[in-house]
């Protein structure tokens, strides 16, 4: 592959991974109105679960991913149970806390995660099925696979958003006490969507670890959760296309900065500065983002 | 009383916020199938009573008996639809950033997490919503966001939402407040229809003419307890009631 | 060797640092009613400014510290003027203010990272050995003694200031009800701006103290804030005493947890403590 194609394939792969994260978080923040800043924790759980299970237990990528999704879902369930006690400012601060704890676990549980060294040589997926032999060491093929999963998750999210369940989520977001009077126990709905969202984020994590063939704690810092949040607010809350747009801008932005001539390390910081400034400006001038259907 | 069975009986109900007793040892019986008004000066505990009956605030002590059978010491708001109770709010509570249609559809669909997950609203759901919108005269606004409605339209939408619950008991907390004449007629028509259908309506209201016109029975509350009760005409003439309203 | 005296001393010192963040968070929260997520990073910013004058330019230590405090106070004030004031004027929800402050946090942390790198930077002078004192078998450095004295002074000043000055009464009036405060003629925006200045300045004392004690790192701001908020919540939001009590409860529990669980998990222990308080005693030790 020549360099330009390789580069574009890389950007599209990163876009797809972030789009999965954005769509998953939008279900919680945009549709249910719960401002969660801990999505990177589930992203990380997915990445580590896949990396560890594929490497140590020798499972295939897809079964490892499935286990990662289940683990993230279970942890999401526990965190969701704690979070059900909180709202607004307190909700945010508790999610921030969870992200910091998750990072601490990735960093400090050496026997499992190898701490800052991370886990290397995470395998890529392989399909050997009914005479079909696909080796996803090829980046183009890998991209196709991520895109398929992005599509699956996007349509699942859209299905949720259009279902009666999704309408109840919106009503919870608007007035939780009022919707309860009409017979809905908001607790279970909030818990369910939080678990689903955690599972989706884990899928993104599986792909990330497998794509880079490596995973380390530094990807799953609090700032990553903030970036995912900024991305969906920029694209627009409660609009799934908005999350795709947000992911697209997020991935393209540091590349543009490199083109403008910032050195690599500064480009990464500049991206965060720009995102911080965008977040502030959006809050002041357009809290609903580019195509949002809900404003905080 | 045309029916000797009471649909709701409240016994020794107490609710206090800190040291302030909003409802203080209140006992009353609400007859089935009638329109019952609760009146009293501001802060007399009317809204708190409705909040207690709908599980919006926790009961401190006392008991609520439904249909002479079910004794409730605790009411959870998400369980009141199973008790066939619904309500409106004194300060309108709509799902602001949702369309008018969605504000109504949301009370028609499946209540369980799993059930609603695999359900998309059906055509008959929509038809029911459209009929209701016509009844309250909001069909032209159906695709607007609730937050863009006028004050009166918001009140009507809230009443429409309660009607779609098709319960036996309706708690209306000041449904007429701030409405223009035409809308008052719509709402009083709705209440009369409910009575014809044999539903029980508990109405909090300040307008004496409407109380006389609509209600079969009146409870007067003051400082969290019952001051008087009876047929509207006789109760509204009582000296103590007039004093409570005008101040001592 | 008995490590208990050292653990007690460490807890007191860490507690004093957290207390700077807790009281200042409380002050701003009282005036604005939103969780300012940039607060910890502003504290760290103050530390870095002190670092710049003291270490990079070689100025006098005390002067550098004062400049750090003033710079952080000014930055807090500027953020209020250009971001939170316009939001208040638009009657923005608390959540919008909070998300805006997340934006401030993101940008500010990255800015610090560009100028000062993500390496640890220490304010303490390695060439000049800190004098060591021993109390009941525990060692304490001269810097740490200064931190304790500072915390004590700030606490006393703040309590007096909030209780006896017009500013203190105005802040209390605003935190009770901003609309009423406006009606009785309090210039709420001026008071809120001032509380941002004072609050950010006090937070910076904490940031500078961290710089002397363990060294600075750009991502440390959020952790400091989380501890500060935890302390404020544990002690009871809105109370100066409560913030101090909360800070010490937090650091004592975290430090003494090493008897049961290894030191890396102090962060998690502190967080679990916060959750326990939020669930079982949401209004803290000192109820307001």
């Amino acid at each position: 592959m020549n360099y330009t194609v390789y580069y574009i394939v890389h950007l599209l792969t990163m876009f797809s991974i972030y789009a999965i994260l954005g769509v998953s978080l939008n279900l919680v923040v945009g549709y249910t109105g719960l401002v969660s800043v801990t999505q990177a924790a589930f992203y990380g759980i997915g990445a580590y679960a896949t990396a560890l299970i594929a490497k140590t237990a020798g499972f295939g990528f897809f079964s490892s991913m499935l286990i990662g999704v289940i683990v993230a879902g279970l942890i999401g369930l526990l965190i969701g149970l704690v979070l059900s006690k909180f709202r607004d400012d307190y909700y945010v601060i508790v999610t921030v806390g969870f992200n910091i704890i998750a990072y601490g676990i990735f960093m400090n549980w050496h026997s499992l995660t190898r701490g800052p060294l991370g886990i290397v040589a995470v395998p890529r997926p392989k399909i050997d099925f009914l005479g079909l032999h696909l080796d996803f060491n090829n980046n183009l093929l890998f991209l196709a696979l991520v895109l398929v999963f992005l599509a699956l998750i996007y349509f699942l999210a859209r299905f949720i958003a259009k279902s009666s369940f999704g309408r109840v989520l919106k009503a919870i977001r608007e007035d939780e006490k009022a919707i309860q009077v009409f017979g809905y126990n908001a607790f279970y709905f909030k818990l369910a969507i939080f678990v689903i969202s955690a599972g989706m984020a884990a899928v993104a994590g599986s792909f990330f670890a497998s794509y880079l063939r490596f995973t380390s704690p530094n990807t799953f810092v609090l700032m990553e959760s903030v970036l995912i949040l900024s991305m969906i607010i920029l694209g627009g809350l409660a609009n799934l296309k908005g999350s795709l747009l947000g992911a697209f801008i997020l991935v393209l932005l540091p590349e543009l900065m490199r083109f403008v001539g910032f050195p690599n390390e500064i480009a990464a910081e500049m991206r965060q500065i720009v995102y911080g400034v965008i977040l502030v400006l959006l809050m002041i001038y357009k809290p609903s983002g580019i195509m949002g259907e809900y404003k905080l | 009383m045309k029916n000797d069975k009471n649909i709701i009986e409240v016994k020794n109900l107490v609710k206090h916020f800190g040291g302030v007793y909003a409802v203080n040892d209140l006992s009353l019986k609400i007859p089935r199938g009638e329109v019952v008004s609760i009146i009293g000066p501001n802060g007399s505990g009317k809204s708190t009573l409705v909040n207690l009956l709908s599980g919006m605030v926790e009961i401190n002590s006392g008991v609520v008996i439904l249909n002479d059978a079910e004794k409730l010491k605790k009411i959870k708001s998400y369980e009141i639809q199973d008790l066939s109770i619904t309500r409106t709010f004194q300060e309108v509570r709509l799902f602001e950033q949702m369309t008018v249609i969605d504000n109504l559809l949301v009370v028609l669909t499946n209540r369980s997490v799993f059930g609603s997950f695999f359900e998309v609203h059906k055509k008959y759901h929509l038809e029911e919503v459209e009929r209701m919108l016509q009844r309250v005269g909001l069909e032209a606004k159906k695709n607007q966001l609730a937050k863009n409605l006028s004050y009166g339209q918001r009140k009507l939408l809230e009443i429409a939402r309660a009607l779609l619950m098709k319960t036996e008991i309706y708690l209306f907390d000041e449904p007429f407040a701030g409405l223009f004449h035409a809308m008052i007629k719509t709402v009083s028509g709705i209440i009369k229809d409910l009575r014809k259908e044999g539903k029980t309506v508990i109405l909090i209201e300040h307008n004496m003419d409407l109380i006389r016109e609509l209600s079969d029975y009146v409870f007067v509350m003051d400082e969290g307890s019952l001051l008087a009760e009876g047929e509207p005409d006789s109760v509204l003439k009582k000296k103590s009631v007039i004093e409570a309203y005008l101040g001592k | 060797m008995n490590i208990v005296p050292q653990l007690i001393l460490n807890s007191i010192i860490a507690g004093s640092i957290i207390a700077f963040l807790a009281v200042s968070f409380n002050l701003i929260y009282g005036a604005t009613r939103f969780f300012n997520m940039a607060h910890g990073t502003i504290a760290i910013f103050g530390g870095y400014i002190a670092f710049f004058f003291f270490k990079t330019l070689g100025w006098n230590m005390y002067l550098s510290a004062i400049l750090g405090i003033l710079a952080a106070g000014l930055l807090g004030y500027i953020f209020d003027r250009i971001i939170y004031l316009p939001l208040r004027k638009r009657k923005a929800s608390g959540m919008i203010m909070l998300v805006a402050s997340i934006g401030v946090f993101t940008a500010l942390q990255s800015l610090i990272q560009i100028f000062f790198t993500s390496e640890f930077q220490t304010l303490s002078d390695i060439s000049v050995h800190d004098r060591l004192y021993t109390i009941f078998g525990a060692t304490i450095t001269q810097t740490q003694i200064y931190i304790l004295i500072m915390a004590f002074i700030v606490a006393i000043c703040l309590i007096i200031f909030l209780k006896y000055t017009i500013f203190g009464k105005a802040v209390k009036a605003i935190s009770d009800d901003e609309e009423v405060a406006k009606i009785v003629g309090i210039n709420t925006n001026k008071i809120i701006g001032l509380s941002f200045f004072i609050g950010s300045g006090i937070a910076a004392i904490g940031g500078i103290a961290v710089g002397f004690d363990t060294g600075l790192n750009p991502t440390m701001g959020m952790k400091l804030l989380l501890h500060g908020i935890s302390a404020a919540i544990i002690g009871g939001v809105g109370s100066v005493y409560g913030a101090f009590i909360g800070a010490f409860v937090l650091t004592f529990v975290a430090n003494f947890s090493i008897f049961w669980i290894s030191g890396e998990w102090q962060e998690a222990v502190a967080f679990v403590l916060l959750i326990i308080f939020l669930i079982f005693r949401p209004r803290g030790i000192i109820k307001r």
Side-chain angles (χ1 to χ4, degrees):
Chain A
M1 253 192 286
N2 82 41
Y3 180 76
T4 318
V5 176
Y6 181 87
Y7 178 66
I8 291 171
V9 167
H10 168 73
L11 288 186
L12 283 173
T13 308
M14 290 316 291
F15 156 76
S16 308
I17 289 171
Y18 276 110
I20 292 174
L21 290 169
V23 166
S24 72
L25 187 63
N26 206 345
L27 289 174
V28 171
V29 182
Y31 287 90
T32 323
L34 304 167
V35 180
S36 161
V37 199
T38 194
Q39 206 67 354
F42 299 118
Y43 182 31
I45 290 167
Y48 271 98
T50 305
L52 287 169
I53 292 162
K55 271 195 75 176
T56 55
F59 280 26
F61 172 81
F62 293 101
S63 18
S64 308
M65 177 160 85
L66 184 65
I67 295 171
V69 169
I70 293 169
V71 171
L74 288 175
I75 294 172
L77 184 71
L78 287 178
I79 296 179
L81 278 172
V82 175
L83 286 170
S84 70
K85 301 274 181 193
F86 308 116
R87 53 181 63 241
D88 300 335
D89 295 344
Y90 289 86
Y91 189 95
V92 177
I93 202 73
V94 173
T95 60
V96 167
F98 274 123
N99 202 137
I100 290 179
I101 301 300
Y103 173 77
I105 291 172
F106 298 143
M107 201 68 170
N108 295 324
W109 194 352
H110 287 265
S111 56
L112 186 72
T113 64
R114 303 196 340 128
L117 298 174
I119 294 170
V120 290
V122 180
R124 286 277 181 98
K126 268 199 183 84
I127 295 182
D128 265 310
F129 186 66
L130 297 174
L132 199 65
H133 302 286
L134 294 176
D135 181 355
F136 293 94
N137 278 311
N138 177 332
N139 279 354
L140 196 58
L141 218 50
F142 189 87
L143 169 64
L145 186 67
V146 188
L147 280 172
V148 167
F149 272 82
L150 169 60
L152 284 174
I153 283 175
Y154 182 85
F155 284 107
L156 174 61
R158 208 175 73 144
F159 176 77
I160 292 172
K162 288 190 186 293
S163 69
S164 301
F165 179 81
R167 194 181 296 107
V168 177
L169 294 182
K170 286 191 200 170
I172 289 172
R173 170 190 86 191
E174 294 302 319
D175 191 337
E176 184 174 336
K177 280 192 169 162
I179 191 64
Q180 300 227 101
V181 166
F182 300 104
Y184 293 96
N185 190 344
F187 169 78
Y188 292 113
F189 284 84
K190 291 195 290 185
L191 202 54
I193 198 63
F194 197 77
V195 170
I196 291 169
S197 167
M200 287 177 172
V203 171
S206 299
F207 279 118
F208 181 76
S210 172
Y211 176 59
L212 293 189
R213 299 187 178 87
F214 170 69
T215 185
S216 80
N218 286 331
T219 315
F220 311 113
V221 288
L222 176 67
M223 206 45 99
E224 192 74 5
S225 290
V226 172
L227 286 183
I228 302 165
L229 181 69
S230 317
M231 178 174 108
I232 62 168
I233 291 178
L234 173 63
L237 291 175
N239 183 325
L240 296 170
K241 288 195 193 82
S243 298
L244 301 186
L245 180 64
F248 187 73
I249 299 173
L250 173 81
V251 171
L252 225 53
L253 202 62
E255 306 307 319
L256 288 177
M257 302 219 163
R258 275 207 301 216
F259 276 120
V260 178
F262 285 110
N264 255 339
E265 328 79 77
I266 293 191
E269 300 303 335
M270 280 306 291
R271 174 181 75 160
Q272 291 184 0
I273 292 175
V274 169
Y275 253 77
V277 172
I278 287 176
L279 211 48
V280 171
L281 292 178
L282 280 173
M283 287 303 109
I284 299 178
Y285 298 106
K286 201 169 189 318
S288 56
I290 297 172
M291 50 209 300
E293 288 170 28
Y294 165 61
K295 112 184 180 3
L296 289 166
Chain B
M1 269 182 247
K2 63 173 182 183
N3 192 330
D4 44 29
K5 253 191 157 183
N6 295 310
I7 193 159
I8 297 179
E9 183 179 351
V10 167
K11 261 190 181 166
N12 310 106
L13 208 58
V14 176
K15 177 67 200 179
H16 55 88
F17 299 100
V20 184
Y21 282 77
V23 168
N24 196 355
D25 200 21
L26 179 75
S27 299
L28 49 80
K29 293 175 181 176
I30 310 245
R32 180 188 304 279
E34 298 197 352
V35 176
V36 174
S37 291
I38 301 174
I39 64 170
N42 285 329
S44 59
K46 300 170 303 215
S47 280
T48 305
L49 175 61
V50 166
N51 284 338
L52 288 167
L53 291 177
S54 59
M56 298 288 286
V57 297
E58 226 173 285
I59 297 171
N60 288 136
S61 69
V63 64
V64 175
I65 303 167
L66 285 177
N67 299 315
D68 287 335
E70 254 179 297
K71 293 190 178 171
L72 303 166
K73 291 192 166 172
K74 237 185 209 160
I75 300 176
K76 294 228 167 75
S77 61
Y78 53 84
E79 287 166 354
I80 66 162
Q81 69 126 13
D82 293 331
L83 307 172
S84 207
I85 302 175
T86 195
R87 67 168 293 172
T88 65
F89 298 90
Q90 187 183 351
E91 287 179 22
V92 185
R93 293 176 86 154
L94 293 172
F95 307 118
E96 305 287 348
Q97 301 190 50
M98 289 166 69
T99 61
V100 167
I101 286 193
D102 273 344
N103 263 272
L104 296 184
L105 272 179
V106 76
V107 303
L108 289 177
T109 47
N110 199 308
R111 256 76 187 167
S112 79
V113 170
F114 282 105
S116 66
F117 195 93
F118 297 105
E119 180 198 69
V120 180
H121 61 270
K122 306 284 190 315
K123 202 167 168 236
Y124 66 83
H125 287 138
L126 270 178
E127 284 165 4
E128 205 177 339
V129 165
E130 302 252 349
R131 271 201 302 279
M132 185 56 69
L133 285 174
Q134 256 164 25
R135 188 167 174 195
V136 296
L138 286 176
E139 68 270 37
K141 300 278 174 187
K142 63 180 184 184
N143 291 319
Q144 299 245 2
L145 292 183
K147 65 174 179 180
N148 296 332
L149 298 182
S150 74
Y151 180 78
Q153 291 166 339
R154 293 164 60 79
K155 283 232 136 173
L156 286 172
L157 181 57
E158 219 198 8
I159 290 167
R161 184 174 66 183
L163 291 182
L164 284 176
M165 293 291 290
K166 287 167 278 190
T167 53
E168 284 301 313
I169 304 166
Y170 293 83
L171 312 171
F172 289 137
D173 197 346
E174 303 198 15
F176 299 102
L179 292 191
F180 293 117
H181 186 70
M183 283 177 176
I184 289 180
K185 274 189 86 173
T186 310
V187 176
S188 61
I190 286 170
I191 292 175
K192 282 175 189 164
D193 286 348
L194 285 173
R195 189 179 185 286
K196 267 183 224 152
E197 291 163 29
K199 312 290 188 192
T200 307
V201 177
I202 299 173
L203 182 66
I204 296 182
E205 188 43 52
H206 287 295
N207 182 324
M208 294 305 153
D209 293 333
L210 282 168
I211 288 166
R212 279 199 190 86
E213 182 190 337
L214 292 172
S215 45
D216 300 291
Y217 204 76
V218 175
F219 291 101
V220 186
M221 282 182 76
D222 191 26
E223 293 179 350
S225 344
L226 206 55
L227 186 71
E229 63 177 296
E231 312 268 310
D233 282 325
S234 62
V235 165
L236 296 178
K237 275 180 205 143
K238 278 190 186 161
K239 209 179 152 214
S240 58
V241 173
I242 297 165
E243 268 178 0
Y245 257 97
L246 297 177
K248 281 145 208 170
Chain C
M1 196 181 103
N2 188 357
I3 60 166
V4 171
Q6 190 65 53
L7 281 179
I8 292 176
L9 206 58
N10 289 354
S11 307
I12 293 175
I13 292 154
S16 314
I17 293 175
I18 298 306
F20 288 115
L21 277 121
V23 285
S24 55
F25 171 81
N26 251 343
L27 180 64
I28 296 176
Y29 180 72
T32 59
R33 294 279 137 196
F34 82 95
F35 277 20
N36 179 4
M37 304 298 278
H39 190 60
T41 311
I42 288 178
I44 289 293
F45 171 81
Y48 274 105
I49 294 297
F51 172 84
F52 174 74
F53 285 111
F54 181 43
K55 284 299 180 75
T56 314
L57 300 184
W59 289 19
N60 173 287
M61 184 178 89
Y62 298 99
L63 180 65
S64 305
I66 290 169
L67 286 172
I69 293 165
L70 287 178
L74 201 62
L75 191 68
Y77 179 78
I78 292 171
F79 284 145
D80 179 51
R81 288 291 113 166
I82 63 170
I83 298 167
Y84 307 121
L85 177 64
L87 283 173
R88 279 201 298 282
K89 283 193 173 150
R90 276 159 211 257
K91 304 245 177 287
S93 68
M95 212 29 99
I96 287 192
M97 308 269 270
L98 186 149
V99 172
S101 75
I102 291 181
V104 173
F105 150 72
T106 311
L108 186 59
Q109 176 174 315
S110 303
L111 210 59
I112 293 175
Q113 220 143 355
I114 289 178
F115 282 102
F116 296 96
T117 77
S118 51
E119 302 297 316
F120 261 95
Q121 313 276 15
T122 173
L123 270 164
S124 56
D125 219 333
I126 305 152
S127 54
V128 187
H129 274 293
D130 221 348
R131 283 185 68 178
L132 292 177
Y133 301 90
T134 313
I135 310 165
F136 300 117
T139 33
I140 183 168
T141 65
Q142 192 157 15
T143 325
Q144 290 174 329
I145 293 174
Y146 286 146
I147 293 172
L148 290 181
I149 295 171
M150 256 331 259
F152 193 66
I153 294 172
V154 167
I156 303 272
C157 289
L158 204 59
I159 287 168
I160 293 173
F161 192 60
L162 289 178
K163 212 164 186 174
Y164 299 105
T165 63
I166 296 175
F167 169 79
K169 285 170 187 159
V171 167
K172 190 169 180 319
I174 293 171
S175 74
D176 287 344
D177 192 327
E178 195 182 335
E179 289 307 311
V180 174
K182 257 183 208 158
I183 291 164
V184 300
I186 296 170
N187 184 343
T188 55
N189 287 332
K190 196 172 148 193
I191 297 293
I192 292 174
L194 198 56
S195 56
F196 263 96
F197 180 80
I198 297 172
S200 304
I202 294 173
I205 303 176
I208 294 167
V210 172
F212 278 110
D213 195 36
T214 59
L216 291 165
N217 160 316
T219 57
M220 190 183 254
M222 188 51 97
K223 275 187 200 165
L224 272 183
L225 175 64
L226 200 63
H227 284 157
I229 294 180
S230 302
I233 290 169
I234 290 169
V237 171
S239 148
V240 177
Y241 307 99
F244 273 83
I245 292 170
F248 290 125
V249 168
L250 189 72
T251 51
F252 269 87
V253 171
N255 270 298
F256 277 84
S257 69
I258 63 155
F259 281 115
W260 298 277
I261 183 167
S262 107
E264 297 105 326
W265 302 107
Q266 280 193 19
E267 204 77 40
V269 170
F271 185 63
V272 169
L273 187 70
L274 168 69
I275 300 283
I276 291 171
F277 262 86
L278 276 175
I279 292 175
F280 297 105
R281 207 181 165 85
R283 297 179 63 196
I285 295 170
I286 309 259
K287 287 186 187 169
R288 193 162 172 252

